[in-house]
Amino acid sequence: MVQYNFIIASARVETNVALPVRPQVGDVISLSTGVNTPHYLVHRVEIFANSNVVNVHVQRFPDQLSAKLAIDGFRNMRNFLRDEESN
């Protein structure tokens, strides 16, 4: 079983996180289904050879609304419409 650790500014903030799939850059992860719980934007995934440990470097948002307001394309259409108009 893979052990995922969430890293913010070189500090582990969540350890032994169970995820259904391996995260990728740009993914938004919430540790529960609640909208008032922290959400994390994945910046990079650090994998170690011969190890089950994966460090996921993230940016933390206090809740879903904060993440929605800050992240283009997460529960909003920012930048999607602009891309279509330029074609």
Side-chain angles (χ1 to χ4, degrees):
M1 173 159 265
V2 176
Q3 173 187 331
Y4 293 100
N5 298 317
F6 285 8
I7 310 293
I8 298 176
S10 299
R12 284 189 196 142
V13 293
E14 299 284 347
T15 59
N16 262 341
V17 176
L19 298 173
V21 296
R22 187 174 76 103
Q24 298 178 357
V25 173
D27 285 350
V28 178
I29 300 171
S30 176
L31 300 181
S32 75
T33 57
V35 297
N36 294 323
T37 59
H39 283 58
Y40 301 89
L41 173 63
V42 176
H43 285 281
R44 71 191 46 80
V45 179
E46 181 182 10
I47 301 169
F48 302 97
N50 302 315
S51 175
N52 290 332
V53 175
V54 176
N55 287 336
V56 183
H57 296 260
V58 296
Q59 179 180 352
R60 183 182 185 277
F61 297 92
D63 53 33
Q64 187 181 81
L65 178 60
S66 299
K68 176 184 173 180
L69 294 173
I71 303 168
D72 288 346
F74 178 63
R75 300 189 182 263
N76 63 57
M77 294 299 290
R78 280 193 315 266
N79 284 338
F80 287 108
L81 297 176
R82 246 184 265 140
D83 290 344
E84 289 176 8
E85 290 173 1
S86 64
N87 290 334

